[in-house]
Amino acid sequence: MLRSLLLGLALGASADPVGVYNGRGGNLDVRPPRVEAEVQVDGVLDEAAWDGAALLTGFSQFSPADGVPAVDSTEVLIWYSPTAIHFGIRAHEPHGAVHATLADRDRIGADDHIQILLSTFNDGRQATVFAVNPLGVQSDGALVETGSVRGNGFNNAVVRREAADLSPDYVFDSKGRLTDYGYEIEVRIPFQSLRYQSAAEQSWGINVTRRVQHSGYEDSWTPARRASASFLAQSGRLVGLTDLRRGLVLDFTPSLTSRTTGERNGTGAWEYSGGGPEVGGTVRWGISNNLSLNGTANPAFSQVESDTGQLIFDPRDEQFLQEKRPFFLDGIEQFTTPNNLVYTRRVVQPSAAVKLTGKTLGTDLALLSAVDDREVSLGGDERPIYNILRFQRDVGSNSRVGVIYTDRIEGGDYNRVAGADARLLFGGVNTVQLQLAGSRTRRLGATTTGPLWQALFAHNGRMFGIRASINASDEDFRARSGFFPRPGLVHLTFRPRVALYGGEGAVVESFTFDVNVNGRWRYREFVEGDGILDEQLHFNLNTTLRGGWQLTGALLLETFGYPFEIYGRHRVELTRPDGAGTDTVAFVGRPRIPNRDYVLSFQTPEFEHLSGNGFILWGNDENFYEWSPGRIIIANGGMTWRPTDKLRLEGTYAIQQVRRRSDGSLVDVQHIPRVKLEYQLSRPIFLRLVGEYATDRQDDLRDDTRTEAPILVFDPGAGDFVRATGFRRSTFQSDILFSYQPGPGTVLFAGYGNTLLDPDDPFQSGMRRVADGFFFKMSYLFQM
């Protein structure tokens, strides 16, 4: 009764009562009460501690359009005990069905959910994110704003806030339940799971967002504006937090893993190897409120699901695989740099590693040292050693500067990278990002050095925006501890955009048009003022329709120059004029290839039981296999079906096809269908089955549009040039996994994986098993 009276006063009076904080009213400094009590986290807010809690009301819509009151009412209760902070959420839903499933951790994106963003250093730059769906299923991670954009390249000009990295996992308690008015959630976050300042009285940044799936809207407690260079800088504050008792933070996670792999030997017989249990462990010590030291020996770094197959159209590209290993995930956000100068998956199979992360005196500190296995070294007899050091310093209200040092040492060879970067925010909507780095590499007695530099300006207005950048690196720049696959280029971009927003109830809720102008030069040619290599002009349209539908269209006008670094070692087999034998001559290729492509894509709303997406690009583009004009189709689509709150079926299909523009003949076609079935028996227990089929059919390669002669490539095994003959290759991978994961660090995995291959042998038919393996992992988190 008292709570309803206070809420009525909050919505109807010009001044809010004490303890009620209306976001739209600008009451953003929240003083939660400190209560000497412990409550049971059961999703029912009926204990006495909730009666005096601070109340957050007055949510605003942030996406797809900002500046209007939220359609659905949300109330957030906050109080704290000596050891934890507590949140209670009442989400009212009178307009549609609540979407809630018993999903796996970090898989609640299709559900209605609440996000709590805690900036415990109150710096407006980074936050720990705790998300919970209506059934209490958790998703968590870290958000460090870097100004990066996300999307598929054709829709990343759309105004949106940066998403959290959901890789890290934190220990916290949550329960939820559906009610007659919507849903109710209870969350307890122990101070042991947080890093925060050492001050006696704390002031933390806070915001709470709500995702409503039936409408596609995202609401925010603070009246955050899309016309801003930072979402976190628009947070409110938790003030007056005193006497927080974190206690001793000492975690020990021993692990036991076993893997048995089978394959055919030289005689065709099946053999299994491995199988012996491996014991390892990880220790985390909270040195202080804001510094953590992690160490590991023989860690259990085995993955429990194979990486999703990817199609690569441009051979100059490299696959980027997400980090999934627990030791590297803790504090991974502290290693973030422009140009990905840190990529922890370069450390393949470490024997031991140590890591120090945290923040002190306004400076983020991240240190990682690891010793890798001999098997992954270039020579096979040295243990690669990695050392990575990252500092970032807060400057002004929202800006920061940083330095980075990495090295990879293997015997007498090494790669060292040092650099500095800055992200400067001004005027509320403007960002300048700068980076300067250099590398020194020693390989087989030869030493090379090379610079890297970048400058970026972004204006993030609500209707008008612009993004301009230049990114350059010398061909001798190397980052062996990072992900930088294409050195030696200068990339200049200029991308203006205009965004329009529909009124209340409009069919078109937002509309964005942008022009993406791209130019690429080889570094030396750019410095010397020579001609451009690649020219790209993209016109992009992105629309959000009522209910959460997303539509994208694009027109791509491009010209690509001859990449001799790829084809310089190719040869062409020509018949001699007299017909007596053949000659081998250098492959020259066309100097430039003009393109015109079209793009269409869509994404459905997250319906209660179904969602889907599709993408297609088609038109005239490079035939990279033969470096000649081609006709391409690149398409992918996916669908997720959730018939119950426990069962989830995901299917994806990707296809890539290249035909010669000269005669329409097929050069290459690839298909990758993938199906994943998950059954969540309970919150900690699930069963997963994955099947992926990949097929690739390629024609004999020839010097299309010029000599029509066969193309030769160098075969290191034969020590000579051989014809690039056609082939057909098909593989099928299947995985089955049983998982028991009651909380971060405590897991039991048992799985089996199988690989089948169609060897394209005229004397055989069908697919045959070529490899399989059994996997077991068990670990337990001891907290002291």
Side-chain angles (χ1 to χ4, degrees), residues 571-583:
R571 298 291 184 267
V572 176
E573 183 182 279
L574 294 177
T575 302
R576 293 177 180 175
D578 58 4
T582 60
D583 282 332

Side-chain angles (χ1 to χ4, degrees), residues 62-278:
F62 177 75
S63 176
D66 58 358
V68 297
V71 175
D72 301 290
S73 175
T74 308
E75 306 169 33
V76 180
L77 304 171
I78 308 176
W79 60 277
Y80 71 101
S81 70
T83 58
I85 186 167
H86 296 254
F87 296 86
I89 297 98
R90 294 190 179 104
H92 296 262
E93 183 52 273
H95 304 102
V98 175
H99 294 193
T101 61
L102 204 63
D104 191 17
R105 190 185 191 94
D106 294 336
R107 298 291 303 277
I108 64 174
D111 295 337
D112 285 61
H113 60 270
I114 298 290
Q115 277 193 10
I116 302 168
L117 296 92
L118 291 179
S119 299
T120 55
F121 293 95
N122 197 29
D123 56 11
R125 301 167 179 84
Q126 58 186 332
T128 308
V129 179
F130 301 91
V132 184
N133 81 351
L135 300 182
V137 179
Q138 300 176 355
S139 178
D140 49 0
L143 173 57
V144 178
E145 292 187 328
T146 63
S148 61
V149 294
R150 60 186 176 92
N152 60 18
F154 307 107
N155 64 7
N156 56 19
V158 177
V159 181
R160 52 168 68 92
R161 69 183 181 94
E162 292 185 57
D165 179 0
L166 300 181
S167 302
D169 290 330
Y170 307 101
V171 177
F172 69 105
D173 302 310
S174 63
K175 286 290 179 66
R177 63 190 181 97
L178 301 180
T179 66
D180 55 357
Y181 61 80
Y183 61 93
E184 190 169 279
I185 295 173
E186 183 175 359
V187 178
R188 176 186 179 273
I189 304 173
F191 296 135
Q192 275 193 339
S193 296
L194 297 171
R195 297 175 183 170
Y196 51 88
Q197 312 151 60
S198 57
E201 182 171 322
Q202 301 280 314
S203 178
W204 295 356
I206 183 175
N207 199 1
V208 181
T209 65
R210 175 184 174 186
R211 184 71 180 181
V212 184
Q213 294 295 359
H214 78 82
S215 64
Y217 294 165
E218 182 182 37
D219 301 333
S220 167
W221 169 62
T222 65
R225 298 290 184 175
R226 299 164 73 83
S228 175
S230 170
F231 180 79
L232 292 179
Q234 304 179 75
S235 299
R237 293 195 307 160
L238 292 176
V239 299
L241 304 177
T242 59
D243 193 20
L244 308 186
R245 303 171 191 172
R246 193 167 184 248
L248 175 65
V249 179
L250 184 60
D251 301 342
F252 174 52
T253 310
S255 62
L256 176 69
T257 61
S258 177
R259 179 184 291 274
T260 302
T261 58
E263 61 183 359
R264 298 186 186 278
N265 61 21
T267 64
W270 200 261
E271 291 185 348
Y272 282 93
S273 61
E278 296 184 5

Side-chain angles (χ1 to χ4, degrees), residues 32-68:
R34 187 177 191 276
V35 182
E36 296 277 349
E38 292 295 332
V39 299
Q40 181 182 0
V41 179
D42 55 7
V44 182
L45 310 178
D46 56 357
E47 292 91 351
W50 296 107
D51 293 337
L55 173 63
L56 276 56
T57 66
F59 279 62
S60 302
Q61 187 184 130
F62 177 75
S63 176
D66 58 358
V68 297

Side-chain angles (χ1 to χ4, degrees), residues 35 62 85 144 161 168 182 282 287 297 431 444 478 584 696 746:
V35 182
F62 177 75
I85 186 167
V144 178
R161 69 183 181 94
T282 300
I287 301 173
T431 303
L444 300 177
R478 296 291 183 271
T584 300
D696 185 0
T746 300

